[in-house]
Amino acid sequence: NENDPEGIWNQAPSWVKDTLRNVFLPTTSKPIADAILRGTCVALTDGSYDPSTNLATACWIIESDENGNRAKGASQTPGNETDMDAYRAELYGIYCILLSIKYIIDYFQIDGGSIKLICDCKGALTRAVIYDNRPTTRHPNYNLLWAIFDLRDDLDIDITWEHVKGHQDDAELDHELTH
């Protein structure tokens, strides 16, 4: 598979392969695995929502500190039309990063390490990475958050996070300045 030259997804169940079908791994993911062990791996995601179509998408990058070695992916966010919004898209990007990291860790048999997760949605970061309690089933995105919590439980790594200013932050600032 040209998206997965090492066959990292080969041992994954079909639903994982389907979820990560638009993830492009580098020729070797070993530098990413080594960066996880060193604690220098950086992953970032951005989500987007188009209210005119009710479609949400997420894209993400997982990068080592060696020569820009990176995995990258993009996907339409799953769920019902009524569930779609930018927040869910951001959560889905976080989910895809953690799912990719899980299979890289499993493939290279990594024990320990850390990643830094970067996102421009503080709410998604807070709920997905910082909170320890799962949301109730009344939460609109509980299914995606529970999947993220399951991955967090499976990963034997530390996840640090950083909120960065996003493009919508500029729009809000422009709006405040003009009013």
Side-chain angles (χ1 to χ4, degrees), residues 84-168:
M84 289 305 134
D85 57 21
Y87 175 75
R88 185 172 180 85
E90 300 283 358
L91 286 174
Y92 189 63
I94 292 169
Y95 170 76
C96 289
I97 285 171
L98 296 179
L99 188 60
S100 298
I101 292 288
K102 175 192 174 2
Y103 280 91
I104 291 170
I105 285 173
D106 288 352
Y107 184 81
F108 290 103
Q109 300 177 345
I110 295 172
D111 188 24
S114 67
I115 64 164
K116 178 186 270 189
L117 184 58
I118 300 171
C119 180
D120 67 355
C121 181
K122 191 180 273 185
L125 275 172
T126 300
R127 196 64 165 126
V129 180
I130 299 170
Y131 282 11
D132 287 328
N133 297 323
R134 292 174 187 258
T136 67
T137 56
R138 289 183 297 233
H139 189 284
N141 295 298
Y142 85 91
N143 57 345
L144 192 48
L145 285 163
W146 280 27
I148 290 169
F149 273 70
D150 287 345
L151 284 168
R152 283 178 40 193
D153 290 346
D154 284 350
L155 294 172
D156 188 25
I157 62 169
D158 292 326
I159 303 169
T160 60
W161 62 275
E162 181 179 339
H163 172 254
V164 295
K165 185 175 161 184
H167 54 89
Q168 78 281 359

Coordinates of all heavy atoms in Angstrom, one line a residue, residues 84-168:
M84 N -22.9 17.3 13.5 CA -21.7 18.0 12.9 C -21.6 19.4 13.4 O -22.5 20.2 13.4 CB -21.8 18.0 11.4 CG -21.7 16.6 10.7 SD -20.1 15.9 11.2 CE -20.7 14.3 11.6
D85 N -20.3 19.7 13.7 CA -19.9 21.1 14.0 C -18.4 21.1 14.0 O -17.7 20.1 13.9 CB -20.5 21.7 15.3 CG -20.2 20.8 16.5 OD1 -19.3 20.1 16.6 OD2 -21.0 21.0 17.5
A86 N -17.8 22.3 14.2 CA -16.3 22.4 14.2 C -15.7 21.7 15.4 O -14.6 21.1 15.3 CB -15.9 23.9 14.2
Y87 N -16.4 21.7 16.5 CA -15.9 21.0 17.7 C -15.8 19.5 17.5 O -14.7 18.9 17.8 CB -16.9 21.3 18.9 CG -16.6 20.6 20.2 CD1 -15.5 21.0 21.0 CD2 -17.4 19.5 20.6 CE1 -15.3 20.3 22.2 CE2 -17.1 18.8 21.7 CZ -16.1 19.3 22.6 OH -15.9 18.6 23.7
R88 N -16.8 18.9 16.9 CA -16.7 17.5 16.6 C -15.6 17.2 15.6 O -14.8 16.2 15.7 CB -18.0 17.0 16.0 CG -18.0 15.4 15.8 CD -19.4 14.9 15.5 NE -19.4 13.5 15.3 CZ -19.5 12.6 16.2 NH1 -19.6 13.0 17.5 NH2 -19.5 11.3 16.0
A89 N -15.4 18.1 14.6 CA -14.3 17.9 13.7 C -12.9 17.9 14.4 O -12.0 17.1 14.1 CB -14.3 19.0 12.6
E90 N -12.8 18.8 15.3 CA -11.5 18.9 16.1 C -11.3 17.7 16.9 O -10.2 17.1 17.0 CB -11.5 20.2 17.0 CG -11.6 21.5 16.3 CD -10.4 22.0 15.6 OE1 -9.3 21.3 15.7 OE2 -10.5 23.1 15.0
L91 N -12.4 17.2 17.6 CA -12.3 15.9 18.3 C -11.9 14.8 17.4 O -11.1 13.9 17.8 CB -13.6 15.6 19.0 CG -14.0 16.4 20.2 CD1 -15.4 16.1 20.6 CD2 -13.0 16.2 21.4
Y92 N -12.4 14.7 16.2 CA -12.1 13.6 15.3 C -10.6 13.7 14.9 O -10.0 12.6 14.8 CB -13.0 13.7 14.1 CG -12.9 12.4 13.2 CD1 -13.2 11.2 13.8 CD2 -12.4 12.5 11.9 CE1 -13.1 10.0 13.0 CE2 -12.3 11.3 11.2 CZ -12.6 10.1 11.7 OH -12.5 9.0 11.0
G93 N -10.1 14.8 14.7 CA -8.7 15.0 14.4 C -7.8 14.4 15.6 O -6.8 13.7 15.4
I94 N -8.2 14.7 16.8 CA -7.5 14.2 18.0 C -7.6 12.7 18.0 O -6.6 12.0 18.2 CB -8.1 14.9 19.3 CG1 -7.7 16.3 19.3 CG2 -7.5 14.1 20.5 CD1 -8.4 17.1 20.4
Y95 N -8.8 12.2 17.8 CA -9.0 10.7 17.7 C -8.1 10.1 16.7 O -7.4 9.1 17.0 CB -10.5 10.4 17.4 CG -10.7 9.0 17.1 CD1 -10.8 8.0 18.2 CD2 -10.9 8.5 15.8 CE1 -11.0 6.7 17.9 CE2 -11.2 7.2 15.6 CZ -11.2 6.3 16.6 OH -11.4 5.0 16.3
C96 N -8.0 10.6 15.5 CA -7.2 10.0 14.4 C -5.7 10.1 14.8 O -5.0 9.1 14.5 CB -7.5 10.7 13.1 SG -9.1 10.3 12.4
I97 N -5.3 11.1 15.4 CA -3.9 11.2 15.8 C -3.6 10.1 16.8 O -2.6 9.3 16.7 CB -3.6 12.6 16.5 CG1 -3.5 13.6 15.4 CG2 -2.3 12.5 17.3 CD1 -3.3 15.0 15.9
L98 N -4.5 9.9 17.8 CA -4.2 8.9 18.9 C -4.3 7.5 18.3 O -3.5 6.6 18.7 CB -5.2 9.1 20.0 CG -5.0 10.4 20.8 CD1 -6.1 10.5 21.9 CD2 -3.6 10.6 21.4
L99 N -5.2 7.3 17.4 CA -5.3 6.0 16.7 C -4.1 5.7 15.9 O -3.6 4.6 16.0 CB -6.6 5.9 15.9 CG -7.0 4.6 15.3 CD1 -7.2 3.6 16.4 CD2 -8.2 4.7 14.4
S100 N -3.6 6.6 15.2 CA -2.4 6.4 14.4 C -1.2 6.2 15.3 O -0.4 5.3 15.1 CB -2.1 7.7 13.5 OG -3.1 7.9 12.6
I101 N -1.1 7.0 16.4 CA 0.0 6.8 17.4 C -0.1 5.4 18.0 O 1.0 4.7 18.1 CB -0.1 7.9 18.5 CG1 0.3 9.2 17.9 CG2 0.8 7.5 19.6 CD1 1.7 9.5 17.5
K102 N -1.3 4.9 18.3 CA -1.4 3.6 18.8 C -0.8 2.5 17.9 O -0.1 1.6 18.4 CB -2.9 3.2 19.1 CG -3.1 1.8 19.6 CD -4.5 1.4 19.6 CE -4.8 0.0 19.9 NZ -3.8 -0.9 20.3
Y103 N -1.1 2.6 16.6 CA -0.6 1.5 15.7 C 0.9 1.7 15.5 O 1.6 0.7 15.3 CB -1.4 1.5 14.5 CG -2.7 0.7 14.8 CD1 -3.8 1.3 15.2 CD2 -2.6 -0.7 14.7 CE1 -4.9 0.6 15.6 CE2 -3.7 -1.5 15.1 CZ -4.9 -0.8 15.5 OH -6.0 -1.6 15.9
I104 N 1.4 2.9 15.5 CA 2.9 3.1 15.4 C 3.6 2.5 16.6 O 4.6 1.8 16.5 CB 3.2 4.6 15.2 CG1 2.8 5.1 13.8 CG2 4.7 4.9 15.4 CD1 2.8 6.6 13.5
I105 N 3.0 2.8 17.8 CA 3.6 2.3 19.0 C 3.5 0.7 19.0 O 4.5 0.1 19.4 CB 2.8 2.8 20.2 CG1 3.2 4.3 20.5 CG2 3.0 2.0 21.5 CD1 2.4 5.0 21.5
D106 N 2.4 0.2 18.6 CA 2.3 -1.3 18.6 C 3.3 -1.9 17.6 O 3.9 -2.9 17.9 CB 0.9 -1.7 18.2 CG -0.2 -1.5 19.4 OD1 0.3 -1.1 20.5 OD2 -1.4 -1.6 19.1
Y107 N 3.4 -1.3 16.5 CA 4.3 -1.8 15.4 C 5.7 -1.9 15.8 O 6.4 -2.8 15.6 CB 4.1 -1.0 14.1 CG 4.9 -1.5 12.9 CD1 4.4 -2.6 12.2 CD2 6.1 -1.0 12.6 CE1 5.1 -3.1 11.1 CE2 6.8 -1.4 11.5 CZ 6.3 -2.5 10.8 OH 7.1 -3.0 9.7
F108 N 6.2 -0.8 16.5 CA 7.6 -0.7 16.9 C 7.8 -1.1 18.4 O 8.9 -1.0 18.9 CB 8.1 0.8 16.7 CG 8.2 1.1 15.3 CD1 7.3 1.9 14.6 CD2 9.3 0.6 14.5 CE1 7.4 2.2 13.3 CE2 9.4 0.9 13.2 CZ 8.5 1.7 12.5
Q109 N 6.7 -1.6 19.0 CA 6.8 -2.2 20.4 C 7.4 -1.1 21.3 O 8.3 -1.4 22.1 CB 7.5 -3.5 20.4 CG 6.8 -4.5 19.5 CD 7.6 -5.8 19.5 OE1 8.8 -5.9 19.8 NE2 6.9 -6.8 19.0
I110 N 6.8 0.1 21.3 CA 7.3 1.1 22.2 C 6.7 1.0 23.5 O 5.5 0.8 23.7 CB 7.0 2.5 21.5 CG1 7.7 2.7 20.2 CG2 7.3 3.7 22.5 CD1 7.3 3.9 19.4
D111 N 7.5 1.3 24.5 CA 7.0 1.3 25.9 C 7.4 2.6 26.5 O 8.6 2.8 26.8 CB 7.5 0.1 26.7 CG 6.9 0.0 28.1 OD1 5.8 0.5 28.3 OD2 7.6 -0.6 29.0
G112 N 6.4 3.5 26.7 CA 6.7 4.8 27.3 C 6.9 5.9 26.2 O 6.8 5.7 25.0
G113 N 7.3 7.1 26.7 CA 7.5 8.2 25.8 C 6.4 9.2 25.9 O 5.5 9.1 26.8
S114 N 6.3 10.2 25.0 CA 5.3 11.2 25.0 C 5.1 11.9 23.7 O 6.0 11.8 22.8 CB 5.6 12.3 26.1 OG 6.7 13.0 25.7
I115 N 4.0 12.5 23.5 CA 3.7 13.3 22.4 C 3.1 14.7 22.9 O 2.5 14.7 23.9 CB 2.7 12.7 21.4 CG1 1.3 12.5 22.0 CG2 3.2 11.4 20.8 CD1 0.2 12.2 21.0
K116 N 3.3 15.7 22.0 CA 2.7 17.0 22.3 C 1.6 17.1 21.2 O 1.8 17.0 20.0 CB 3.6 18.1 22.2 CG 2.9 19.5 22.4 CD 3.8 20.6 22.1 CE 4.5 21.0 23.4 NZ 5.3 22.3 23.2
L117 N 0.3 17.3 21.7 CA -0.8 17.5 20.8 C -1.2 18.9 20.7 O -1.4 19.6 21.8 CB -2.0 16.6 21.4 CG -3.3 16.5 20.7 CD1 -3.0 16.0 19.3 CD2 -4.2 15.7 21.4
I118 N -1.2 19.5 19.5 CA -1.5 20.9 19.3 C -2.8 21.0 18.5 O -3.0 20.3 17.6 CB -0.3 21.5 18.5 CG1 1.0 21.4 19.3 CG2 -0.6 23.0 18.2 CD1 2.2 21.8 18.5
C119 N -3.6 22.0 19.0 CA -4.9 22.2 18.4 C -5.4 23.6 18.7 O -5.0 24.2 19.7 CB -5.9 21.2 19.0 SG -7.6 21.2 18.4
D120 N -6.2 24.2 17.8 CA -6.7 25.5 18.0 C -8.1 25.6 18.7 O -8.7 26.6 18.8 CB -6.7 26.3 16.7 CG -7.7 25.8 15.6 OD1 -8.4 24.8 15.9 OD2 -7.8 26.4 14.6
C121 N -8.5 24.4 19.1 CA -9.8 24.4 19.8 C -9.6 23.9 21.3 O -9.4 22.8 21.6 CB -10.8 23.4 19.1 SG -12.4 23.3 19.9
K122 N -9.6 24.9 22.1 CA -9.3 24.7 23.5 C -10.3 23.7 24.1 O -10.0 22.9 25.0 CB -9.2 26.0 24.3 CG -8.6 25.8 25.7 CD -8.6 27.1 26.5 CE -7.3 27.8 26.2 NZ -7.1 29.0 27.0
G123 N -11.6 23.9 23.8 CA -12.6 23.0 24.3 C -12.4 21.5 24.0 O -12.5 20.7 24.8
A124 N -12.0 21.3 22.7 CA -11.7 19.9 22.3 C -10.5 19.3 23.1 O -10.5 18.2 23.5 CB -11.5 19.8 20.8
L125 N -9.5 20.1 23.1 CA -8.3 19.7 23.9 C -8.6 19.4 25.3 O -8.2 18.4 25.9 CB -7.2 20.8 23.8 CG -6.3 20.8 22.6 CD1 -5.4 22.1 22.6 CD2 -5.4 19.6 22.5
T126 N -9.3 20.3 26.0 CA -9.6 20.2 27.4 C -10.4 18.9 27.6 O -10.1 18.1 28.5 CB -10.4 21.4 27.9 OG1 -9.6 22.5 27.7 CG2 -10.8 21.2 29.3
R127 N -11.5 18.7 26.8 CA -12.3 17.5 27.0 C -11.7 16.2 26.7 O -11.8 15.2 27.3 CB -13.6 17.7 26.2 CG -14.7 16.8 26.6 CD -15.1 17.2 28.0 NE -16.4 16.6 28.3 CZ -16.6 15.9 29.4 NH1 -15.6 15.6 30.2 NH2 -17.8 15.4 29.6
A128 N -10.9 16.2 25.6 CA -10.3 15.0 25.1 C -9.0 14.6 25.8 O -8.7 13.4 26.0 CB -10.0 15.1 23.6
V129 N -8.2 15.6 26.3 CA -6.9 15.2 26.8 C -6.8 15.5 28.3 O -6.1 14.8 29.0 CB -5.8 16.0 26.1 CG1 -4.4 15.7 26.6 CG2 -5.9 15.7 24.6
I130 N -7.4 16.5 28.8 CA -7.2 16.9 30.2 C -8.2 16.2 31.2 O -7.8 15.7 32.2 CB -7.3 18.4 30.4 CG1 -6.2 19.1 29.5 CG2 -7.2 18.8 31.8 CD1 -6.4 20.6 29.4
Y131 N -9.5 16.2 30.8 CA -10.5 15.6 31.7 C -10.2 14.1 31.9 O -9.8 13.4 31.0 CB -11.9 15.7 31.1 CG -12.5 17.1 31.3 CD1 -11.8 18.2 31.7 CD2 -13.8 17.3 30.9 CE1 -12.4 19.4 31.8 CE2 -14.4 18.5 31.1 CZ -13.7 19.6 31.5 OH -14.3 20.8 31.6
D132 N -10.5 13.7 33.2 CA -10.3 12.2 33.5 C -11.6 11.5 33.5 O -11.6 10.3 33.4 CB -9.6 12.1 34.9 CG -8.2 12.5 34.8 OD1 -7.5 12.2 33.8 OD2 -7.7 13.0 35.8
N133 N -12.7 12.2 33.5 CA -14.0 11.6 33.6 C -14.7 11.6 32.2 O -14.8 12.6 31.6 CB -14.9 12.3 34.6 CG -14.4 12.2 36.0 OD1 -13.8 11.1 36.4 ND2 -14.6 13.2 36.8
R134 N -15.2 10.4 31.9 CA -15.9 10.3 30.6 C -17.2 11.1 30.7 O -17.9 11.1 31.7 CB -16.3 8.8 30.3 CG -15.0 8.0 30.0 CD -15.4 6.5 29.8 NE -14.3 5.7 29.7 CZ -13.8 5.2 28.6 NH1 -14.5 5.4 27.5 NH2 -12.7 4.5 28.5
P135 N -17.6 11.7 29.6 CA -18.9 12.4 29.6 C -20.1 11.4 29.6 O -19.9 10.2 29.3 CB -18.9 13.1 28.2 CG -18.0 12.3 27.4 CD -17.0 11.7 28.3
T136 N -21.2 11.8 30.0 CA -22.4 11.0 30.0 C -22.9 10.8 28.6 O -22.5 11.5 27.7 CB -23.6 11.6 30.8 OG1 -24.0 12.8 30.1 CG2 -23.1 12.0 32.3
T137 N -23.7 9.8 28.4 CA -24.3 9.5 27.1 C -25.2 10.6 26.6 O -25.6 10.6 25.4 CB -25.0 8.2 27.1 OG1 -26.1 8.2 28.1 CG2 -24.1 7.0 27.3
R138 N -25.5 11.6 27.4 CA -26.3 12.8 27.0 C -25.4 13.8 26.3 O -25.9 14.7 25.6 CB -27.0 13.4 28.2 CG -28.1 12.5 28.7 CD -28.8 13.3 29.8 NE -27.9 13.4 30.9 CZ -28.0 13.1 32.1 NH1 -29.2 12.6 32.5 NH2 -27.1 13.3 33.1
H139 N -24.1 13.7 26.4 CA -23.2 14.6 25.7 C -23.3 14.4 24.2 O -23.2 13.2 23.8 CB -21.7 14.4 26.2 CG -20.8 15.5 25.8 ND1 -20.3 15.5 24.5 CD2 -20.3 16.5 26.4 CE1 -19.5 16.5 24.3 NE2 -19.4 17.2 25.5
P140 N -23.4 15.4 23.4 CA -23.6 15.2 22.0 C -22.5 14.4 21.3 O -22.7 13.8 20.3 CB -23.7 16.6 21.4 CG -23.6 17.5 22.5 CD -23.4 16.8 23.8
N141 N -21.3 14.5 21.8 CA -20.2 13.8 21.2 C -19.6 12.7 22.1 O -18.4 12.3 22.0 CB -19.1 14.8 20.9 CG -19.5 15.8 19.8 OD1 -19.8 15.4 18.7 ND2 -19.6 17.1 20.2
Y142 N -20.5 12.1 22.9 CA -20.0 11.1 23.9 C -19.3 9.9 23.2 O -18.3 9.4 23.7 CB -21.1 10.6 24.8 CG -21.9 9.5 24.2 CD1 -21.6 8.2 24.5 CD2 -23.0 9.8 23.5 CE1 -22.3 7.2 23.9 CE2 -23.8 8.8 22.9 CZ -23.4 7.5 23.2 OH -24.2 6.4 22.6
N143 N -19.8 9.5 22.0 CA -19.3 8.3 21.4 C -17.8 8.6 20.9 O -16.9 7.7 21.1 CB -20.1 7.9 20.2 CG -20.4 9.0 19.2 OD1 -20.1 10.2 19.4 ND2 -20.9 8.6 18.0
L144 N -17.6 9.7 20.4 CA -16.2 10.1 19.9 C -15.3 10.3 21.1 O -14.1 9.8 21.2 CB -16.3 11.3 19.1 CG -15.1 11.7 18.3 CD1 -14.4 10.5 17.5 CD2 -15.4 12.8 17.3
L145 N -15.8 11.0 22.2 CA -15.0 11.2 23.4 C -14.7 9.9 24.1 O -13.6 9.7 24.6 CB -15.7 12.1 24.3 CG -15.6 13.6 23.9 CD1 -16.7 14.4 24.6 CD2 -14.3 14.2 24.1
W146 N -15.6 8.9 24.1 CA -15.4 7.6 24.7 C -14.3 6.9 24.0 O -13.4 6.2 24.6 CB -16.6 6.8 24.8 CG -17.5 7.2 26.0 CD1 -17.6 8.4 26.6 CD2 -18.4 6.3 26.7 NE1 -18.5 8.4 27.6 CE2 -19.1 7.1 27.7 CE3 -18.8 5.0 26.5 CZ2 -20.0 6.6 28.5 CZ3 -19.8 4.5 27.4 CH2 -20.4 5.3 28.3
A147 N -14.3 7.0 22.6 CA -13.3 6.3 21.8 C -11.9 7.0 22.1 O -10.9 6.3 22.2 CB -13.6 6.5 20.3
I148 N -11.9 8.3 22.3 CA -10.6 9.0 22.6 C -10.2 8.5 24.0 O -9.0 8.2 24.2 CB -10.8 10.5 22.6 CG1 -11.0 11.0 21.1 CG2 -9.6 11.2 23.3 CD1 -11.4 12.4 21.0
F149 N -11.1 8.4 25.0 CA -10.7 8.0 26.3 C -10.2 6.5 26.3 O -9.2 6.2 27.0 CB -11.9 8.1 27.3 CG -12.0 9.4 27.9 CD1 -12.4 10.5 27.2 CD2 -11.8 9.6 29.3 CE1 -12.5 11.8 27.8 CE2 -11.9 10.8 29.9 CZ -12.3 11.9 29.1
D150 N -10.8 5.7 25.5 CA -10.3 4.3 25.3 C -8.9 4.3 24.8 O -8.0 3.5 25.3 CB -11.2 3.5 24.4 CG -12.5 3.1 25.0 OD1 -12.7 3.2 26.3 OD2 -13.4 2.7 24.2
L151 N -8.6 5.1 23.8 CA -7.2 5.2 23.3 C -6.3 5.7 24.3 O -5.1 5.2 24.4 CB -7.2 6.1 22.0 CG -7.7 5.4 20.7 CD1 -7.9 6.4 19.6 CD2 -6.8 4.3 20.3
R152 N -6.7 6.7 25.0 CA -5.8 7.3 26.1 C -5.5 6.2 27.1 O -4.3 6.1 27.5 CB -6.5 8.4 26.8 CG -6.5 9.7 26.1 CD -7.2 10.8 26.8 NE -7.0 10.8 28.3 CZ -7.8 11.5 29.1 NH1 -8.7 12.3 28.7 NH2 -7.5 11.5 30.4
D153 N -6.5 5.4 27.4 CA -6.2 4.3 28.4 C -5.3 3.2 27.8 O -4.5 2.6 28.5 CB -7.5 3.6 28.8 CG -8.4 4.4 29.6 OD1 -7.9 5.5 30.2 OD2 -9.6 4.1 29.7
D154 N -5.3 3.0 26.5 CA -4.5 2.0 25.8 C -3.0 2.5 25.6 O -2.1 1.6 25.6 CB -5.0 1.6 24.4 CG -6.2 0.7 24.5 OD1 -6.5 0.2 25.6 OD2 -6.9 0.5 23.5
L155 N -2.8 3.8 25.5 CA -1.5 4.3 25.2 C -0.7 4.4 26.5 O -1.1 5.1 27.4 CB -1.6 5.7 24.5 CG -2.3 5.6 23.1 CD1 -2.5 7.1 22.6 CD2 -1.4 4.9 22.1
D156 N 0.5 3.8 26.4 CA 1.4 3.9 27.6 C 2.4 5.1 27.4 O 3.6 4.9 27.4 CB 2.1 2.6 27.8 CG 2.9 2.6 29.1 OD1 2.6 3.4 30.0 OD2 3.9 1.8 29.1
I157 N 1.9 6.3 27.0 CA 2.7 7.4 26.8 C 2.0 8.6 27.5 O 0.8 8.6 27.8 CB 2.9 7.8 25.3 CG1 1.5 8.0 24.6 CG2 3.6 6.6 24.6 CD1 1.6 8.6 23.2
D158 N 2.8 9.7 27.7 CA 2.2 10.9 28.2 C 1.8 11.7 27.1 O 2.4 11.8 26.0 CB 3.3 11.7 29.0 CG 3.7 11.0 30.3 OD1 2.8 10.3 30.9 OD2 4.9 11.0 30.7
I159 N 0.7 12.4 27.2 CA 0.1 13.3 26.2 C 0.1 14.7 26.8 O -0.6 15.0 27.8 CB -1.3 12.9 25.7 CG1 -1.3 11.5 25.2 CG2 -1.8 13.9 24.7 CD1 -2.6 10.9 25.0
T160 N 1.0 15.6 26.3 CA 0.9 17.0 26.7 C 0.1 17.7 25.6 O 0.0 17.2 24.5 CB 2.3 17.6 26.9 OG1 3.0 17.5 25.6 CG2 3.1 16.8 28.0
W161 N -0.3 18.9 25.9 CA -1.1 19.6 24.9 C -0.7 21.1 24.8 O -0.1 21.6 25.8 CB -2.6 19.4 25.2 CG -3.0 20.0 26.5 CD1 -2.9 19.4 27.7 CD2 -3.5 21.3 26.8 NE1 -3.4 20.2 28.7 CE2 -3.7 21.4 28.1 CE3 -3.8 22.4 25.9 CZ2 -4.2 22.6 28.7 CZ3 -4.3 23.6 26.5 CH2 -4.5 23.6 27.9
E162 N -1.0 21.7 23.7 CA -0.8 23.1 23.5 C -1.9 23.7 22.7 O -2.3 23.1 21.6 CB 0.5 23.4 22.9 CG 0.8 24.8 22.6 CD 2.2 25.0 22.0 OE1 3.0 24.2 22.0 OE2 2.3 26.1 21.4
H163 N -2.6 24.7 23.2 CA -3.6 25.4 22.4 C -2.9 26.5 21.6 O -2.0 27.2 22.1 CB -4.6 26.0 23.3 CG -5.6 26.9 22.6 ND1 -5.5 28.3 22.7 CD2 -6.6 26.6 21.8 CE1 -6.5 28.8 21.9 NE2 -7.1 27.8 21.4
V164 N -3.2 26.6 20.3 CA -2.6 27.6 19.5 C -3.8 28.5 18.9 O -4.9 28.0 18.8 CB -1.8 27.1 18.3 CG1 -0.5 26.4 18.9 CG2 -2.6 26.1 17.4
K165 N -3.5 29.7 18.6 CA -4.4 30.6 18.0 C -4.8 30.1 16.6 O -3.9 29.7 15.9 CB -3.8 32.0 18.0 CG -4.8 33.0 17.5 CD -4.1 34.4 17.6 CE -4.8 35.4 16.7 NZ -4.1 36.7 16.7
G166 N -6.1 30.0 16.3 CA -6.5 29.6 15.0 C -7.0 30.7 14.2 O -7.2 31.9 14.7
H167 N -7.4 30.4 13.0 CA -7.9 31.4 12.0 C -9.1 32.1 12.5 O -9.4 33.3 12.3 CB -8.0 30.9 10.6 CG -8.9 29.6 10.6 ND1 -10.2 29.7 10.4 CD2 -8.6 28.3 10.7 CE1 -10.7 28.5 10.5 NE2 -9.7 27.6 10.6
Q168 N -10.0 31.4 13.2 CA -11.2 32.0 13.7 C -10.9 33.0 14.8 O -11.7 33.9 15.1 CB -12.2 30.9 14.2 CG -12.0 30.3 15.5 CD -10.9 29.2 15.5 OE1 -10.3 28.9 14.5 NE2 -10.5 28.7 16.7

